[in-house]
Amino acid sequence: RIWRVVPTGAGPTPPVSLATASNRELLQSLQSPNAWRRQTGQRVLIERGDRSVVAALIAILRDRDNPFAQARLHALRTLEGLGALRAAYLRGALGDPHYGVRVHALQLSEALLATEPELLARVLRLTDDPDPRARLELAMTLGGSPDPAATTALLKLAVEHGHERWMASAILSASRD
């Protein structure tokens, strides 16, 4: 049987127990190229509920020089899991250079659109987002806002991007009227 395939000259990776890792090690795991380590590190941080890591998570979220967008995405979702997510962090994440971070920020923004006018204004600017996945998520997110500006944004999406796959369905499901 072949148990593990590794490149020539590479030794086995040592086993990792993130359950006993320090918060610092868990924060570093959010920036790992290994998906299991990122997800497990995030889960353990949330399970611990230790809010002393919030400042470090915000620093990861705001570090746009780091080309590894998954770290910012996991930082955003970990803040949510710890109950430390604020509209200001979402506004910043909505301007992230990576579409995936913007998509998750849109998903998390939906619950706050009715009570955070500055966040709604930032969300509405994404009708011109260069990525079709972000625009699609925007159409679905706008369904959570009772503001008439959301309907106007949906109309703009319909006119300019209604031909994109799934966009018409997203707009129809988000429409209030």
Side-chain angles (χ1 to χ4, degrees):
R1 294 182 185 191
I2 298 175
W3 292 96
R4 192 176 296 196
V5 178
V6 294
T8 305
T13 56
V16 176
S17 174
L18 292 179
T20 58
S22 68
N23 284 346
R24 184 173 170 265
E25 292 169 322
L26 292 172
L27 288 165
Q28 288 174 345
S29 75
L30 297 181
Q31 301 184 53
S32 170
N34 182 300
W36 178 87
R37 287 183 192 217
R38 286 193 313 271
Q39 292 170 351
T40 304
Q42 177 182 347
R43 179 183 53 80
V44 172
L45 282 168
I46 292 170
E47 286 174 352
R48 286 184 184 173
D50 184 355
R51 294 174 61 98
S52 68
V53 299
V54 168
L57 290 167
I58 295 167
I60 292 170
L61 180 61
R62 291 182 174 161
D63 183 12
R64 298 218 178 132
D65 292 333
N66 183 350
F68 196 61
Q70 287 92 338
R72 295 190 302 276
L73 192 148
H74 282 284
L76 184 65
R77 288 293 185 168
T78 305
L79 285 166
E80 175 206 16
L82 292 173
L85 189 61
R86 302 289 177 263
Y89 310 149
L90 290 170
R91 285 193 305 270
L94 289 168
D96 195 275
H98 194 274
Y99 81 91
V101 177
R102 294 192 308 272
V103 165
H104 282 264
L106 281 165
Q107 291 170 354
L108 294 170
S109 296
E110 188 171 341
L112 301 174
L113 292 180
T115 60
E116 294 286 341
E118 289 178 34
L119 181 61
L120 176 61
R122 182 66 184 98
V123 165
L124 293 172
R125 284 190 291 218
L126 290 179
T127 56
D128 296 320
D129 195 281
D131 193 276
R133 293 164 286 201
R135 290 190 303 266
L136 180 65
E137 182 58 43
L138 171 63
M140 293 183 280
T141 297
L142 289 174
S145 174
D147 194 293
T151 303
T152 304
L154 286 170
L155 287 171
K156 180 178 179 181
L157 287 171
V159 169
E160 295 177 7
H161 305 287
H163 64 280
E164 294 173 0
R165 186 174 185 192
W166 303 113
M167 183 59 79
S169 297
I171 291 169
L172 286 172
S173 78
S175 297
R176 292 179 173 268
D177 298 328

